[in-house]
Amino acid sequence: PPGSLGEIIGFGITHGFNSDAGVKRGGRVTTSPCESTEPLVCWRYEEPIGDVGFDSNTCRGDSGGPLFVLSGGQIVLAGVTSAGSNTSCLAPDYSTDADVY
């Protein structure tokens, strides 16, 4: 549900059109309500940006990567990285994962 803490993992670029893909990175997100009726898990990447790894976003090359959340005392796969609204991957961005839970 919205407000859940999650962790995203991916091998994509850090932002814009960098060429730094291929490095495994992870970070935390807080899910938010989705603007769609599709089965998605969403979050907003907005300023002010928090500490590295605690306020994160996905970018090109991260598609298909996992979103894990804590549910019932267990870490579960809740989503698979799908899209973002900002091509630079910088804030502000509205990011979506396909809901697999």
Side-chain angles (χ1 to χ4, degrees):
S4 297
L5 295 178
E7 183 164 2
I8 52 176
I9 308 289
F11 289 86
I13 63 173
T14 53
H15 68 276
F17 295 96
N18 284 356
S19 59
D20 58 354
V23 176
K24 182 179 177 184
R25 297 180 181 90
R28 296 200 174 129
V29 298
T30 302
T31 62
S32 66
C34 295
E35 297 173 356
S36 169
T37 58
E38 299 295 321
L40 299 172
V41 180
C42 305
W43 70 89
R44 296 188 180 283
Y45 184 60
E46 300 176 314
E47 295 190 75
I49 305 303
D51 294 334
V52 172
F54 291 93
D55 190 6
S56 302
N57 200 19
T58 54
C59 202
R60 279 177 293 290
D62 287 326
S63 295
L67 164 66
F68 297 107
V69 297
L70 187 62
S71 177
Q74 295 184 336
I75 296 173
V76 298
L77 177 65
V80 175
T81 299
S82 180
S85 63
N86 188 336
T87 58
S88 74
C89 309
L90 299 173
D93 196 7
Y94 173 72
S95 299
T96 59
D97 278 25
D99 186 343
V100 297
Y101 183 74

